Amino acid sequence: MPGGLTQREAQVLACVATGASNRQVAEQLVISEKTVGRHLANIYTKLDVSSRTAAAAWARANGVGAG
């Protein structure tokens, strides 16, 4: 996976890149909001970003969620 992300992290990031809230991501992936938050924290660390906007921009630039 790009950026060293797990498959689930990439799924979370793809949802976030569409503008989904943590609650919406949780509903789409059938996980808890707390789990979404944990995945996002891991994603931010792995991508060296500090916001969901920056993470979404990274996702678009690296084709995560495309297709």
Side-chain angles (χ1 to χ4, degrees):
M1 287 279 133
L5 301 177
T6 66
Q7 184 171 350
R8 185 55 118 185
E9 288 166 350
Q11 290 172 330
V12 169
L13 181 56
C15 291
V16 166
T18 68
S21 68
N22 284 14
R23 176 171 286 180
Q24 291 168 325
V25 174
E27 289 172 357
Q28 287 175 28
L29 300 180
V30 195
I31 57 179
S32 74
E33 282 185 67
K34 185 173 182 178
T35 301
V36 172
R38 169 58 30 211
H39 283 313
L40 282 172
N42 291 340
I43 289 165
Y44 294 172
T45 299
K46 288 181 180 182
L47 303 185
D48 194 27
V49 298
S50 58
S51 69
R52 66 194 299 125
T53 303
W58 185 96
R60 285 189 293 278
N62 289 276
V64 173

